[in-house]
Amino acid sequence: MKLITFTKKGIYCPQGKFYIDPWRPVDLAVITHGHADHARWGMKKYLCHHYTKPILYQRIGIDIECQSVEYGETLILNGVKVSLHPAGHIIGSAQIRLEYKGYVTVISGDYKIQGDGLSTPFELVKCNEFVTESTFGLPIYNWLEVPDLNKKLQTWVLKNHENSKTSVFIGYSLGKAQRIMKAVEGLGKIYVHYSIGKLNEAFESVGVDLPDYTIADFRENAKEVQHEIVIVPPALLDSNIIKKIPDAATAICSGWMQVRGARRWRSADAGFAMSDHADWKGLLQAVKATEAEIVHVTHGQTEIFSKYLNEIGIRSDVVQTQFGEDEEESEKETIENPGP
């Protein structure tokens, strides 16, 4: 049985007559999470987790038709049982479980096995067919435990305090920025770019607790952030806004910082391998635990990861999708067109 097909519009469930994270306009889109490569403008109706709904309002528009559900809640869409289960990627991220006549397919979207203390932890969902990402699908990607990584961020901030520096973190507005806030809570006043502040408000609207922060207007008075903690999106790296921040020491927070020399890729003072995606071990752990008969690899290190799965006896293929596009472009669009 085939519960999903891969079309020009996106991942389609023909029995249920809906799409998962489509990249072209459709009647019904079931959304795994709020990042722009998975949640796009133009759908007649959206279905997502409760925490993702205000993010879609913020990023796509308040006038969209959007239904939200809780994790584990089952809906019947044209005879297909549909439920959302935690993906651990960012707040509200979900794996989409489909069941029809006893056959189960899970579309995982983006996911992370590590608990970060902010997102709902990843839930293993057994299935016949599994759709996985492979953003960091190489053995070189092996994340530190979250407390150890947070300790590194904290040590860097404290060192900057000693040297009268302003700690400026660069991280995606949705997911990464909130993790950074949690990691450095209590070490100083936290200032964020307004694109981050708007998404923080979306989280807070559904009861998610975040550390105290101030939305900074860097154009008016950048001196107020001097010697404090600042978080901005990647699109602002090397921008005039960064240059206005007094005594700035900059740090990029990205999984790509795992690779030796990656810090020199950008003009930053430090780099921390913080990712909202599974590392190599996490990907393998998830795929094996699903006990799926077939695994589709949709974006990232697709050829390498799929080949390895086949070599260890897990039937796998590569599927071309539009997921995993450069999120920095999405950040740029959000900054230039902030919406309501």
Side-chain angles (χ1 to χ4, degrees), residues 6-21:
F6 297 92
T7 75
K8 292 181 179 180
K9 292 184 176 181
I11 302 173
Y12 182 58
C13 175
Q15 294 89 341
K17 299 180 181 178
F18 57 84
Y19 289 78
I20 297 93
D21 292 352

Side-chain angles (χ1 to χ4, degrees), residues 275-290:
S275 179
D276 291 323
H277 297 264
D279 62 6
W280 172 258
K281 291 180 181 178
L283 289 168
L284 288 176
Q285 179 184 337
V287 168
K288 290 177 181 178
T290 66

Side-chain angles (χ1 to χ4, degrees), residues 11 17-32 38-40 42-48 56 65-67 77:
I11 302 173
K17 299 180 181 178
F18 57 84
Y19 289 78
I20 297 93
D21 292 352
W23 45 84
R24 293 185 182 176
V26 301
D27 288 343
L28 176 57
V30 183
I31 302 298
T32 60
H38 289 259
R40 302 179 187 239
M43 315 304 161
K44 286 187 179 178
K45 184 177 180 179
Y46 298 80
L47 174 65
C48 63
L56 298 190
E65 182 180 351
C66 184
Q67 177 184 359
L77 300 179

Side-chain angles (χ1 to χ4, degrees), residues 144-153 179 272-274:
L144 287 175
E145 293 298 322
V146 172
D148 295 333
L149 175 61
N150 288 350
K151 184 67 175 178
K152 283 182 172 290
L153 269 67
R179 284 186 62 184
F272 299 102
M274 174 184 284

Side-chain angles (χ1 to χ4, degrees), residues 312-324:
I312 63 174
I314 299 173
R315 189 159 64 97
S316 172
D317 60 18
V318 174
V319 178
Q320 298 300 320
T321 66
Q322 293 186 20
F323 306 138

Side-chain angles (χ1 to χ4, degrees), residues 61-82:
I62 196 67
D63 57 344
I64 62 172
E65 182 180 351
C66 184
Q67 177 184 359
S68 63
V69 295
E70 186 52 88
Y71 289 128
E73 182 180 343
T74 299
L75 299 178
I76 307 297
L77 300 179
N78 298 308
V80 177
K81 293 181 181 179
V82 180

Side-chain angles (χ1 to χ4, degrees), residues 107-177:
I107 301 94
S108 60
D110 291 332
Y111 64 93
K112 174 171 84 272
I113 302 300
Q114 278 188 334
D116 58 23
L118 190 60
S119 308
T120 304
F122 178 88
E123 177 187 322
L124 169 65
V125 184
K126 293 185 181 297
C127 56
N128 302 97
E129 183 178 28
F130 188 59
V131 180
T132 182
E133 62 145 311
S134 61
T135 303
F136 293 102
L138 292 173
I140 56 174
Y141 294 110
N142 182 22
W143 311 143
L144 287 175
E145 293 298 322
V146 172
D148 295 333
L149 175 61
N150 288 350
K151 184 67 175 178
K152 283 182 172 290
L153 269 67
Q154 293 158 8
T155 299
W156 186 72
V157 170
L158 292 173
K159 182 179 178 182
N160 288 336
H161 284 338
E162 292 175 2
N163 295 327
S164 298
K165 292 287 187 179
T166 306
S167 299
V168 181
F169 289 99
I170 292 93
Y172 293 131
S173 299
L174 176 54
K176 202 71 63 64

